Structures are given as C-alpha cells and as structure tokens.
Amino acid sequence: MKSMTCIVCPKGCSLSIEEKEKGFRVSGALCPRGEEYALQEMTDPRRTLQTTIRTNLPGCRRVAVRTSKEVPLGEIFSYMDAIKGVILEEKKECGSVLARGLCDSDVDLILTERLY
Ligand code: SF4
C-alpha cells in the first residue's frame, strides 16, 4: 500500500494506492481526477519543469522559464542540462518559446517572466 497527497486541486485528498494483479486500486479520492493523478504517479510520473536561464541583457542576469508540458520525472536532469545551454540574447514577450524540442521531444521552453 502506498500513500500520497493529490496535488491536482487545493483539497489535497489523501490517496491510498494498492497494487492488484490487474493494476492499481486507488481510494481516498473525492473525484476521478485524483485517481488519474495516482495512476499517473504510479506508472509514469511527470512534472512541469520551472527554473531560470541566463541572459545577456543588461541588468538582468536570469529570467524565469518553464517547460511547455510535463516531462518524465526520470529524465528531469537531461532536460535541465538542455535548458542550461539556453541563453536569452534579446528581450522577448512573456510566453515566448525560447527553445523548441528539448531533448528531441515535443517539449518547448517558455519564458514566464515579463521583461521591462
Ligand atoms: S481527488 Fe479530486 S478533490 Fe481530491 S484533491 Fe484530487 S482533484 Fe481535488
């Protein structure tokens, strides 16, 4: 039996996951999204990666970025390595794509900070 807190909404239901012969049995979820979350966590955990990158802009050393979608938890460090090499050379709008296809995937890098 494994326990986790559902982070899909602020209610934070306490979930219990039991492994059965034909999959998992989830209890404690107040809605179906909790069960989906638990099954995803058990079979293919993913996270949206939020970090900062360097810039060459005067007076602005780093800016906030995130991945356009969740990436496999086991590959987070490969994504971090790919992101480390991205440098913002000119001002862009918040929401701009700064790099496409990180780690040969369909995941892009998005600027999440408004630059003045
Ligand atoms: S199970 Fe449903 S109600 Fe409970 S925290 Fe998750 S999303 Fe919210």
Side-chain angles (χ1 to χ4, degrees):
M1 178 88 75
K2 185 171 169 121
S3 300
M4 66 177 70
T5 302
C6 178
I7 58 168
V8 176
C9 91
K11 283 193 177 165
C13 294
S14 295
L15 309 176
S16 298
I17 303 103
E18 202 177 337
E19 190 157 8
K20 297 282 191 184
E21 261 181 46
K22 292 184 179 174
F24 297 95
R25 184 177 165 274
V26 180
S27 55
L30 284 180
C31 79
R33 291 185 301 163
E35 188 172 338
E36 279 172 36
Y37 169 75
L39 294 176
Q40 178 84 39
E41 282 294 290
M42 295 303 290
T43 57
D44 181 24
R46 289 174 176 259
R47 298 289 182 274
T48 298
L49 191 45
Q50 300 180 62
T51 183
T52 60
I53 60 165
R54 288 185 294 146
T55 89
N56 282 335
L57 303 174
C60 178
R61 295 179 65 194
R62 301 195 74 84
V63 290
V65 295
R66 69 166 169 79
T67 51
S68 59
K69 30 173 103 163
E70 294 181 328
V71 303
L73 196 54
E75 296 173 27
I76 286 267
F77 291 109
S78 301
Y79 279 87
M80 282 301 289
D81 280 344
I83 290 169
K84 221 186 291 177
V86 180
I87 299 172
L88 184 64
E89 301 284 357
E90 59 188 32
K91 278 190 178 180
K92 301 227 171 162
E93 292 287 319
C94 182
S96 297
V97 174
L98 303 182
R100 291 197 186 275
L102 295 171
C103 296
D104 296 324
S105 70
D106 60 350
V107 177
D108 299 332
L109 188 67
I110 309 288
L111 177 65
T112 57
E113 189 171 328
R114 200 166 159 194
L115 304 173
Y116 295 95

PDB file of all heavy atoms in Angstrom, residues 57-60 63 91-92 113-116:
ATOM      1  N   LEU A  57      21.198  40.199 -21.248  1.00  0.00           N
ATOM      2  CA  LEU A  57      20.542  41.503 -21.203  1.00  0.00           C
ATOM      3  C   LEU A  57      21.156  42.345 -20.086  1.00  0.00           C
ATOM      4  O   LEU A  57      21.420  41.824 -18.995  1.00  0.00           O
ATOM      5  CB  LEU A  57      19.041  41.330 -20.935  1.00  0.00           C
ATOM      6  CG  LEU A  57      18.278  40.459 -21.928  1.00  0.00           C
ATOM      7  CD1 LEU A  57      16.844  40.259 -21.453  1.00  0.00           C
ATOM      8  CD2 LEU A  57      18.298  41.090 -23.309  1.00  0.00           C
ATOM      9  N   PRO A  58      21.361  43.622 -20.326  1.00  0.00           N
ATOM     10  CA  PRO A  58      21.931  44.467 -19.269  1.00  0.00           C
ATOM     11  C   PRO A  58      20.992  44.541 -18.056  1.00  0.00           C
ATOM     12  O   PRO A  58      19.793  44.741 -18.220  1.00  0.00           O
ATOM     13  CB  PRO A  58      22.079  45.838 -19.946  1.00  0.00           C
ATOM     14  CG  PRO A  58      21.385  45.755 -21.255  1.00  0.00           C
ATOM     15  CD  PRO A  58      21.099  44.335 -21.564  1.00  0.00           C
ATOM     16  N   GLY A  59      21.555  44.362 -16.886  1.00  0.00           N
ATOM     17  CA  GLY A  59      20.780  44.476 -15.651  1.00  0.00           C
ATOM     18  C   GLY A  59      19.830  43.322 -15.397  1.00  0.00           C
ATOM     19  O   GLY A  59      18.960  43.411 -14.528  1.00  0.00           O
ATOM     20  N   CYS A  60      19.961  42.255 -16.118  1.00  0.00           N
ATOM     21  CA  CYS A  60      19.050  41.106 -15.939  1.00  0.00           C
ATOM     22  C   CYS A  60      19.855  39.829 -16.145  1.00  0.00           C
ATOM     23  O   CYS A  60      20.109  39.426 -17.274  1.00  0.00           O
ATOM     24  CB  CYS A  60      17.909  41.211 -16.966  1.00  0.00           C
ATOM     25  SG  CYS A  60      16.761  39.839 -16.901  1.00  0.00           S
ATOM     26  N   VAL A  63      16.324  34.843 -16.079  1.00  0.00           N
ATOM     27  CA  VAL A  63      14.875  35.000 -16.254  1.00  0.00           C
ATOM     28  C   VAL A  63      14.198  33.653 -15.996  1.00  0.00           C
ATOM     29  O   VAL A  63      14.795  32.585 -16.176  1.00  0.00           O
ATOM     30  CB  VAL A  63      14.498  35.492 -17.671  1.00  0.00           C
ATOM     31  CG1 VAL A  63      14.927  36.938 -17.870  1.00  0.00           C
ATOM     32  CG2 VAL A  63      15.068  34.594 -18.747  1.00  0.00           C
ATOM     33  N   LYS A  91      15.342  40.847 -25.623  1.00  0.00           N
ATOM     34  CA  LYS A  91      14.070  40.882 -24.906  1.00  0.00           C
ATOM     35  C   LYS A  91      12.986  40.184 -25.709  1.00  0.00           C
ATOM     36  O   LYS A  91      12.924  40.340 -26.929  1.00  0.00           O
ATOM     37  CB  LYS A  91      13.642  42.331 -24.662  1.00  0.00           C
ATOM     38  CG  LYS A  91      14.302  42.946 -23.477  1.00  0.00           C
ATOM     39  CD  LYS A  91      13.665  44.261 -23.149  1.00  0.00           C
ATOM     40  CE  LYS A  91      14.312  44.846 -21.915  1.00  0.00           C
ATOM     41  NZ  LYS A  91      13.742  46.124 -21.538  1.00  0.00           N
ATOM     42  N   LYS A  92      12.163  39.411 -25.017  1.00  0.00           N
ATOM     43  CA  LYS A  92      11.044  38.725 -25.661  1.00  0.00           C
ATOM     44  C   LYS A  92       9.820  38.900 -24.778  1.00  0.00           C
ATOM     45  O   LYS A  92       9.927  39.201 -23.596  1.00  0.00           O
ATOM     46  CB  LYS A  92      11.355  37.246 -25.821  1.00  0.00           C
ATOM     47  CG  LYS A  92      12.586  36.967 -26.646  1.00  0.00           C
ATOM     48  CD  LYS A  92      12.322  35.914 -27.661  1.00  0.00           C
ATOM     49  CE  LYS A  92      13.504  35.821 -28.607  1.00  0.00           C
ATOM     50  NZ  LYS A  92      13.568  34.626 -29.352  1.00  0.00           N
ATOM     51  N   GLU A 113       8.465  35.208 -17.603  1.00  0.00           N
ATOM     52  CA  GLU A 113       8.703  36.463 -16.887  1.00  0.00           C
ATOM     53  C   GLU A 113       8.511  37.628 -17.842  1.00  0.00           C
ATOM     54  O   GLU A 113       8.877  37.548 -19.008  1.00  0.00           O
ATOM     55  CB  GLU A 113      10.153  36.445 -16.365  1.00  0.00           C
ATOM     56  CG  GLU A 113      10.462  37.564 -15.438  1.00  0.00           C
ATOM     57  CD  GLU A 113      11.833  37.369 -14.785  1.00  0.00           C
ATOM     58  OE1 GLU A 113      12.257  36.218 -14.558  1.00  0.00           O
ATOM     59  OE2 GLU A 113      12.479  38.385 -14.520  1.00  0.00           O
ATOM     60  N   ARG A 114       7.937  38.693 -17.334  1.00  0.00           N
ATOM     61  CA  ARG A 114       7.742  39.888 -18.135  1.00  0.00           C
ATOM     62  C   ARG A 114       8.996  40.754 -18.036  1.00  0.00           C
ATOM     63  O   ARG A 114       9.415  41.086 -16.927  1.00  0.00           O
ATOM     64  CB  ARG A 114       6.525  40.641 -17.602  1.00  0.00           C
ATOM     65  CG  ARG A 114       5.936  41.589 -18.574  1.00  0.00           C
ATOM     66  CD  ARG A 114       4.581  42.009 -18.079  1.00  0.00           C
ATOM     67  NE  ARG A 114       4.215  43.251 -18.718  1.00  0.00           N
ATOM     68  CZ  ARG A 114       3.234  44.012 -18.337  1.00  0.00           C
ATOM     69  NH1 ARG A 114       2.499  43.664 -17.299  1.00  0.00           N
ATOM     70  NH2 ARG A 114       2.973  45.124 -18.969  1.00  0.00           N
ATOM     71  N   LEU A 115       9.575  41.069 -19.170  1.00  0.00           N
ATOM     72  CA  LEU A 115      10.809  41.861 -19.166  1.00  0.00           C
ATOM     73  C   LEU A 115      10.498  43.310 -19.489  1.00  0.00           C
ATOM     74  O   LEU A 115       9.761  43.599 -20.419  1.00  0.00           O
ATOM     75  CB  LEU A 115      11.796  41.300 -20.205  1.00  0.00           C
ATOM     76  CG  LEU A 115      12.137  39.817 -20.042  1.00  0.00           C
ATOM     77  CD1 LEU A 115      12.974  39.340 -21.190  1.00  0.00           C
ATOM     78  CD2 LEU A 115      12.824  39.582 -18.706  1.00  0.00           C
ATOM     79  N   TYR A 116      11.074  44.232 -18.704  1.00  0.00           N
ATOM     80  CA  TYR A 116      10.792  45.657 -18.924  1.00  0.00           C
ATOM     81  C   TYR A 116      11.931  46.319 -19.636  1.00  0.00           C
ATOM     82  O   TYR A 116      13.024  45.849 -19.662  1.00  0.00           O
ATOM     83  CB  TYR A 116      10.532  46.345 -17.583  1.00  0.00           C
ATOM     84  CG  TYR A 116       9.290  45.830 -16.927  1.00  0.00           C
ATOM     85  CD1 TYR A 116       9.339  44.817 -15.991  1.00  0.00           C
ATOM     86  CD2 TYR A 116       8.039  46.335 -17.302  1.00  0.00           C
ATOM     87  CE1 TYR A 116       8.189  44.323 -15.411  1.00  0.00           C
ATOM     88  CE2 TYR A 116       6.876  45.841 -16.736  1.00  0.00           C
ATOM     89  CZ  TYR A 116       6.961  44.843 -15.780  1.00  0.00           C
ATOM     90  OH  TYR A 116       5.825  44.368 -15.218  1.00  0.00           O
TER      91      TYR A 116
END
